[in-house]
Structure formats: structure tokens, C-alpha cells
Amino acid sequence: MPSPTQSRHTLDAASVVTDDDYEQRPQIVVGRHMVDVSQPQFTWRAIVVGLLFGTLLCFSNLWFGLQSGWISMMSLQSSLVGFAVFKALEHVLDVPFGPAENVVLQSTAVATATMPLAGGFVGILPALKLLEESESNGARTVLNFGQLCAWGLALTFFGVFFAIPLRRQTIIKEKLRFPSGTATAQMISVLHKRPDPTLADEQLLAKTSATAINGATHGRGSSVRRRGTVVTADIVSDDSQVDDDDEVQTDYRPADDVKWVTKLLILFVSFTMSGIYALLAHFFPVIAALPVFGRRASTDWAWNLMPSLSYAGQGIIMGLPTCVWMLVGSVVGWGILSPLAKNEGWAPGPVTDWKTGSRGWILWISLAVMIAESIISLGLISTKELLQALGRLRAFYNKRKISSTLLSQPPDDVTTPDTLGQSVDDDTGVPKAAQIVADADLDEVDPRFLVPAWVTWGGLAASTLLCMGVVKALFDIPMYNTLIAVVLALPLAVLGVRALGETDLNPVSGIGKVSQVVFAGIMPGNLVGNLVAGGIAEAGAQQAGDLMQDLKTGHLLNASPRAQFIAQIIGSVFSVFVTAGAYLLYNKVYSIPGPQFPVPTAQVWLDMARLVNGHPLPPHVWPFIAAFSVLFALLPAAAVVVKSSGKEFVAIGPWSVRTSTLLRWWPSGIAFAIGIYNTPNFTLMRAIGATSTAAFTEAVVSHRKRSSADGSAVLSGQEEAFLRRKIAMLAIILASGFVLGEGTFSFFILLAQAFAA
């Protein structure tokens, strides 16, 4: 936390810059997005609070990851809790807690929270433990604390370093939405009473483009308002005025109008309620498996209801469409396929047994669905990326051609030859194509706030060498094979980042499976090497995706990318040691995998490794694998066709459905597969949580509409959208308390058991 003598200091990463320093140099570079230097960027107080809250999130994620494979970033919740902490301390703070600091805080918390997935603690490492002695070929499959830390550090860095150069293309040039990062920016803006940073971006981009070029050409100090700060084309002083003609008029209405104290109260109450359930379930285990469908369905077919508020909260966060398809997967898997396999004698063991029971039999269908959808989705993204790359190459060629033509013309000739088919700006004489190229740099920050190129590429090289050395030492895998795994992980991470930016879904599981398929040919018969290669690919995509979401948040709020990068590194390194210790505690107190923690994702990883290395499938499962694979390979392709049609409505038989609604409810293969590999008790509560929230939202909106019909209020379309956003925000906070409560209380129960043993 800064000392009183730092009250007027702005901290960017490791450097300290005073306000006086900024008076002696330009505050912004021509045509660049401005980092808000009026507020602290990097502070240790934000880092410490981010680490503390991220540690609680890490414990919670490890608990639920080992139970059901579910991990959450919790960036929204981190920003809210961080704001509440510093709001309570504001009377003793010399420097107010600002939005850029909040960005650094939530970046640290997210990096700390997601290590259970990025480090393979809920997938790869338990899968290694499940290997039979004949399958490990003498390789190490159980790691001690030091080895776990080395493994985590080996996977931590290269994805983070690789995300830095992706920022310019995905956030600055293409302006991909990154929905979670955008939502976090909106939350922080509301908390700190700033304008919504997402409003009027498209209008501002068009107006800023012309202003920047005109200002640079004619020397005018034209300016526009962008995200609540004055951004100028020329270098200007703090008291610059904005012309009315240049200002973009926008309704900067906050995302919701609920006080932060109310939000914090909701979070605290839901946290407490969920924690009480965790205590009750620990002392009275019977309540965690209620036979609501009858005793036979419970004992013979694993259909129970677990009234866990945390899983209801997960359902609220996931949303109703995802939970519906998860429930469909559960009904198909556990209500149809499981009894079929059992009754036909294809899976004669106990239903919940992974090896001989129907649980292991239907898992192959779940795996097939995930692979089919992931490969097709990644293929579609790759095709789109290739076409865009060809378009950029063509634009670059045209730009060079235009430039050479302009240079060859007399100075007073501002007309581009018609053969080039380019129009020219009447005022500047600059081709509009060149203006479009200039727009790419318009929204970038001053280089002082960026991560230097030598750090990016040097760090990527060093982290790759670290990964190669650690993997060699732990698993005796040749270093060149690890190098291949890292090199393969990088383009896969690009695909994951693009999918995340467009859909808010990072297909890390599918990315890992692609790597497993490739390494089945590179290292045939080596199951340990196959799992490690998949873990490297998953870690790269996960770390890169998390940082890109955070960088999107920071970009919208005028925060320093360099400060966020350092926060990500600090959070990730800290979390390696926290997660390794917690993982060993879980293994000391519980049997993992076991009844309390079945670790379904570990079974998926292991089955994939066995499949690509020639292990036979269970009897009679192949026709079902083929059928479901074809179905869920066609669905993503069909969704692209529907989306690219450009039609507002789509005819489905006698009905006409809005295209956006249809795509929102489009079948999700990943959700369907999760419903199969998780037992029904997890899925049912998720569906209940999502359904209850949707029903409550519709009830509130309908009530307001009825009031409007009586003449006591007017609920316009804009007001309805605003009301829905407000309910959704409060629901997310409620759900977060549910998730954090059980996860945190359960971890402290674990600590008590560990020290009592």
C-alpha cells in the first residue's frame, strides 16, 4: 500500500511517475489512446488484496474443479469485493482507489484463481495418478510439493507472454468484444461512477478517425470525448476545451443503479447461506443426496438431488440455454444410454464405476461429442482467420500501391487514379483506405505503457526453455518433444483467444484434445507424454485467454497494459504455490479420485490418451460415438450458415424465429457432454438455479408491464432492457456468493480435518 509520501504518485508497473514529470512531457502521443495518468495504475495494495481474494477463489475453484470440472474466473466479483474493501478504508487512504487500480486488482485475482485449471490440478495431474503401472512405463505419476510447484511454473508463463502480441490484433484492430472482460469494465465503471465505457464506441471510432488525420494534417487541436476523457489528435493541455461540433452526444447511463452496499450485502448473505449448507452437508451427509425420484432411481441409476446452493449459483452464472443443454445431456446419458448399456450387458458393473459400469461407457460418447464440436469449431475459426489474414495481406499490398502512386504524382494532385478504385478525402487529400489503416493505431496507448517487445519475446523464449527443462526432469520426456508441444500450443492458443473474444467460450478442453491427437503420432504408446502435451496446450490457451479478457477490461478503462501484465505474472506465480499446497491437502484428506471428488475431467483426459494410443473401446459403444459425433459436427457448421444468412428471422416449419434468439438457444455440444460425464445431481441444481433466475426475471418484467398498462408507469423497450440488465447483475452477485460460500467453507473444513488427522 502506498505511503503518505506517495499520495500524488502514479504507479505504472515498477516505475514511479509523478504528476510533475507529466507536466514536462506530452501526456499523450498523436493519434493514441490515452492511459489515464490521473489515477494510480499499479499499486501493491491492489496486488495484495487481489492475491488474498484470488486465494479464496482458488480454493473454491479447486473444490468444484475436482468435483465436477467447473472453474470460474470471477473477475466481476473480484472488482466488486476489491472496491468494497477500499471503500471501507477510504477515510484512511491518502490516494483514492480508482478504476485503473481495480483493473490491476481483478487481473491479479483472476490469475490467482484459475491456476487449478491452467496448471492441470483438476485434470492432468489426477489423470496421471489413474494410470496403471503398465501404462506409465516407469515414469513419475505422483508429484511432491516441490515437483508440483516446478510443474506449475513450467506451464505458467508462455501463454501469458504469447498473449501480449495478440492484444494488438484482437483488441485494438478487430475490437473483439470479449464479453466477460467488457462486463467487468462496465461493473468497474458503475462502482467508480464513470460513464459506461462501451457506449458509442462505433460512433466515436468513425468520428475520431477523421479528427485524428485532420488534426495531424492541419495542426488543429480537434478533440472528441472518448470514455469520459478528452482524447485529442494534437498534444493538448489538461484544460483543453471540446468543440460542440466534435463531441459525440451519448446517453452515458450506468449499467445498473443499485448501490454498491446493496450488492455487497447480497454477496455476503448468499455467501453465508451457502457456507451454512456446506457445514450441514459435512455433518449430515444424507442431505447431499436426496432421492427425489424414488429409492430405486437413486440407488440403481444415480438420480439424486443435491440441494447445493453453489451449484445453483453455477447455473445462474452459466445461463439458462447452457443449463438446458446440460440437462438434455444428463437425460440422454443417464436416463437413456446408461440404462441401455446396463440392461444389454455392455456395461455390467455398478452404474457409477468408471471401468466396468455404464458411467465409463457413456463417457466415451461425451468425449466424442466434445472432440467433434471442438475440431469443427476450431476449423471454422481457423478458416476465418486465414481469410482475414489474406485480406490483410491484400490491404497491405494495396496500401503500398497507393503510396507509390501518390509519391509519383504532383503535390497539388489529390486525385487517386481511378484504376485503383480508391476515394480520397476532400480536405486532407489522404486516401480513405490509408485512413482506415491509420485507425488501427488510433486506439493504441503510448508505448511507455506497453510491454516492451524484448520482454515479450525474451520471456516467451525463456519460459519455453523452462518448460522443456522441467518436463524433462519430471517425466523424462525429450526436450525436443516438449518444444514441439509448446510450438503447437501457440497457434491453438490463438484459436482459443479468438473464440473467447467472439463467444466468451475458450475451448481449452478441445484444444488439449487436438494436441493429444497430434502427440499420439509423435510419441506413440507414451500415455504420460500424451497427457503432458495436452496439459501444455490447455495451459497456453487458458493463460492467454484469461489475460486477453483482462486486457480488454483495461483497454476500455484506460488502464496500463504493462501494469496488468505484471499483475498477471505475480498472481500466477503466487497461485502456483497456493494451489500445489491445497492440492496436496485434498489428496491427504480425501481419496482423489473418489466418491467425494470423482474428478470427471481426469477420466476424460485419460480416456482420450488411451483412445489415440490404440486402446480398445468398450463393447457396442462405437455406433453411438459415430452418430453423436456426426450430429455435433454438423451443428456448429449449421450455426455459421444461419448466422451468415443475414436474416433477422428464420423459418422453422410453421414458426418464424428471430435469428439471435435461435442462435442463443442453439445446441451446445460442450454443455451436452458435461451433462453426460457429470452425475445428474450436479446438473439438476444448475438447471434449477438457471430456471429460477429466468422465471424471476420474467415475473418482474411482466409485473412492470402490467403496471404500465394501468397507466402508473411506462416501460419502454430501453427501460425493459435496462431492468433485465439490472436483474442479471444482481443475480450474478447472488450466484457468486453461493459459489464462494460453499467453496470457502469446505476448504476450511478440509483444513480442520487435515490438522486433526
Side-chain angles (χ1 to χ4, degrees):
M1 177 175 167
S3 64
T5 59
Q6 296 175 323
S7 60
R8 289 181 56 79
H9 286 189
T10 295
L11 304 181
D12 175 37
S15 62
V16 179
V17 185
T18 66
D19 291 343
D20 293 337
D21 293 332
Y22 275 94
E23 292 176 359
Q24 300 172 9
R25 53 178 145 167
Q27 285 203 346
I28 115 179
V29 176
V30 174
R32 288 195 180 275
H33 178 86
M34 184 172 69
V35 169
D36 187 354
V37 297
S38 66
Q39 56 177 312
Q41 295 289 326
F42 179 98
T43 61
W44 285 107
R45 65 184 186 182
I47 294 293
V48 170
V49 174
L51 290 176
L52 292 175
F53 187 63
T55 299
L56 290 180
L57 295 174
C58 179
F59 294 157
S60 179
N61 277 337
L62 190 60
W63 174 272
F64 295 114
L66 292 172
Q67 271 194 345
S68 63
W70 188 80
I71 297 290
S72 176
M73 287 177 59
M74 293 285 184
S75 54
L76 280 168
Q77 297 77 6
S78 300
S79 63
L80 173 62
V81 171
F83 177 84
V85 169
F86 286 104
K87 188 71 174 178
L89 298 174
E90 65 179 352
H91 62 285
V92 298
L93 297 178
D94 294 295
V95 180
F97 180 70
E101 249 187 309
N102 205 334
V103 169
V104 169
L105 186 152
Q106 66 89 27
S107 296
T108 307
V110 168
T112 308
T114 54
M115 184 53 62
L117 178 60
F121 290 91
V122 298
I124 299 298
L125 294 175
L128 289 171
K129 284 182 58 180
L130 289 171
L131 285 172
E132 298 176 0
E133 188 175 350
S134 60
E135 295 176 318
S136 64
N137 295 325
R140 182 184 287 110
T141 57
V142 178
L143 307 182
N144 59 32
F145 179 75
Q147 292 164 344
L148 286 172
C149 292
W151 162 258
L153 291 172
L155 300 186
T156 292
F157 298 112
F158 69 88
V160 176
F161 284 107
F162 187 64
I164 298 302
L166 298 181
R167 172 183 172 276
R168 177 175 173 80
Q169 180 62 39
T170 58
I171 294 178
I172 306 303
K173 288 187 177 181
E174 299 182 36
K175 302 187 183 299
L176 297 185
R177 180 169 173 77
F178 289 98
S180 290
T182 299
T184 303
Q186 291 174 311
M187 166 70 93
I188 294 175
S189 297
V190 170
L191 293 172
H192 294 271
K193 299 180 180 179
R194 299 293 178 94
D196 186 338
T198 65
L199 293 178
D201 262 359
E202 294 181 0
Q203 301 174 41
L204 286 167
L205 176 62
K207 183 171 282 292
T208 307
S209 303
T211 304
I213 294 177
N214 289 341
T217 305
H218 299 298
R220 295 189 288 112
S222 303
S223 62
V224 296
R225 290 200 177 273
R226 182 177 182 79
R227 304 183 183 115
T229 61
V230 177
V231 182
T232 66
D234 275 352
I235 300 172
V236 296
S237 62
D238 288 340
D239 57 351
S240 299
Q241 298 298 314
V242 181
D243 295 335
D244 291 338
D245 292 340
D246 289 330
E247 183 172 346
V248 178
Q249 301 294 336
T250 307
D251 178 18
Y252 286 121
R253 186 168 190 178
D256 67 81
D257 58 357
V258 180
K259 294 182 178 180
W260 71 270
V261 176
T262 303
K263 296 176 183 175
L264 194 63
L265 180 63
I266 293 172
L267 185 68
F268 175 76
V269 171
S270 59
F271 179 93
T272 304
M273 292 172 60
S274 186
I276 291 173
Y277 168 81
L279 292 173
L280 291 174
H282 174 71
F283 291 107
F284 306 99
V286 65
I287 69 172
L290 302 179
V292 294
F293 300 101
R295 184 64 59 184
R296 186 169 182 270
S298 172
T299 56
D300 293 353
W301 305 111
W303 278 91
N304 297 301
L305 178 66
M306 178 178 61
S308 165
L309 294 177
S310 63
Y311 281 93
Q314 291 177 24
I316 295 172
I317 294 172
M318 292 175 181
L320 186 58
T322 297
C323 290
V324 164
W325 288 108
M326 209 175 287
L327 183 61
V328 171
S330 186
V331 171
V332 171
W334 292 89
I336 299 174
L337 297 177
S338 175
L340 177 65
K342 175 76 172 179
N343 293 330
E344 293 292 333
W346 303 336
V351 167
T352 56
D353 187 82
W354 289 105
K355 291 184 178 180
T356 62
S358 56
R359 184 178 196 175
W361 193 89
I362 63 175
L363 179 65
W364 289 99
I365 299 171
S366 171
L367 179 60
V369 170
M370 286 191 288
I371 294 172
E373 182 175 80
S374 297
I375 290 177
I376 296 301
S377 298
L378 291 175
L380 293 171
I381 294 172
S382 301
T383 302
K384 181 179 179 180
E385 180 72 9
L386 178 61
L387 293 175
Q388 289 179 343
L390 292 175
R392 290 192 295 268
L393 184 62
R394 189 180 301 110
F396 176 76
Y397 172 77
N398 289 338
K399 178 188 173 185
R400 293 286 298 272
K401 193 174 180 181
I402 293 168
S403 300
S404 62
T405 302
L406 288 174
L407 290 174
S408 65
Q409 291 179 347
D412 58 346
D413 187 354
V414 296
T415 303
T416 303
D418 293 337
T419 53
L420 294 178
Q422 299 291 333
S423 58
V424 177
D425 189 281
D426 294 334
D427 295 328
T428 66
V430 178
K432 292 183 179 178
Q435 290 188 14
I436 294 172
V437 174
D439 289 346
D441 291 325
L442 182 65
D443 217 20
E444 184 56 289
V445 302
D446 190 302
R448 292 173 296 159
F449 300 103
L450 295 174
V451 180
W454 69 268
V455 172
T456 300
W457 300 111
L460 183 59
S463 60
T464 300
L465 292 174
L466 174 65
C467 185
M468 293 164 59
V470 169
V471 170
K472 170 65 177 176
L474 293 180
F475 305 108
D476 197 28
I477 295 175
M479 297 181 73
Y480 59 84
N481 281 338
T482 305
L483 177 61
I484 294 173
V486 173
V487 171
L488 178 62
L490 298 183
L492 292 175
V494 173
L495 300 180
V497 165
R498 295 198 64 82
L500 188 66
E502 295 176 0
T503 67
D504 210 32
L505 297 175
N506 193 346
V508 291
S509 179
I511 286 171
K513 305 301 180 288
V514 171
S515 184
Q516 284 185 281
V517 171
V518 173
F519 267 80
I522 296 175
M523 303 174 64
N526 189 335
L527 268 67
V528 172
N530 192 275
L531 290 169
V532 169
I536 290 173
E538 182 182 56
Q542 177 70 29
Q543 293 284 61
D546 286 350
L547 183 54
M548 293 303 293
Q549 290 275 30
D550 293 338
L551 289 173
K552 179 67 175 183
T553 301
H555 179 71
L556 291 172
L557 295 172
N558 304 330
S560 165
R562 182 182 296 188
Q564 289 185 264
F565 168 77
I566 295 177
Q568 176 87 12
I569 293 292
I570 293 173
S572 296
V573 172
F574 180 80
S575 187
V576 165
F577 299 94
V578 171
T579 309
Y583 179 75
L584 289 179
L585 272 179
Y586 277 106
N587 278 273
K588 177 182 178 181
V589 176
Y590 299 100
S591 176
I592 298 178
Q596 180 78 11
F597 298 101
V599 200
T601 51
Q603 296 290 344
V604 172
W605 280 106
L606 185 56
D607 278 0
M608 182 66 185
R610 287 169 172 166
L611 175 65
V612 297
N613 282 281
H615 285 226
L617 292 169
H620 302 286
V621 76
W622 170 246
F624 295 92
I625 288 178
F628 281 96
S629 296
V630 170
L631 174 61
F632 283 95
L634 293 175
L635 285 171
V640 171
V641 173
V642 172
K643 186 176 181 179
S644 60
S645 66
K647 298 179 180 178
E648 184 178 359
F649 291 91
V650 177
I652 302 178
W655 299 282
S656 182
V657 181
R658 189 178 294 274
T659 302
S660 59
T661 302
L662 178 63
L663 291 174
R664 180 171 175 259
W665 289 91
W666 197 264
S668 167
I670 298 298
F672 183 86
I674 292 173
I676 292 178
Y677 75 61
N678 276 327
T679 49
N681 55 338
F682 298 118
T683 303
L684 289 171
M685 278 308 296
R686 286 169 173 165
I688 289 173
T691 304
S692 301
T693 303
F696 176 79
T697 301
E698 295 304 320
V700 172
V701 172
S702 297
H703 175 72
R704 289 289 302 274
K705 286 182 176 179
R706 285 195 298 270
S707 299
S708 300
D710 295 337
S712 58
V714 177
L715 188 64
S716 65
Q718 184 178 3
E719 289 291 332
E720 180 180 342
F722 176 77
L723 178 61
R724 289 182 182 275
R725 288 201 307 271
K726 183 165 66 174
I727 296 173
M729 181 66 71
L730 295 177
I732 291 295
I733 295 171
L734 177 76
S736 303
F738 286 157
V739 173
L740 291 174
E742 184 173 342
T744 303
F745 274 67
S746 297
F747 184 77
F748 283 112
I749 291 172
L750 168 72
L751 287 176
Q753 290 178 296
F755 288 113

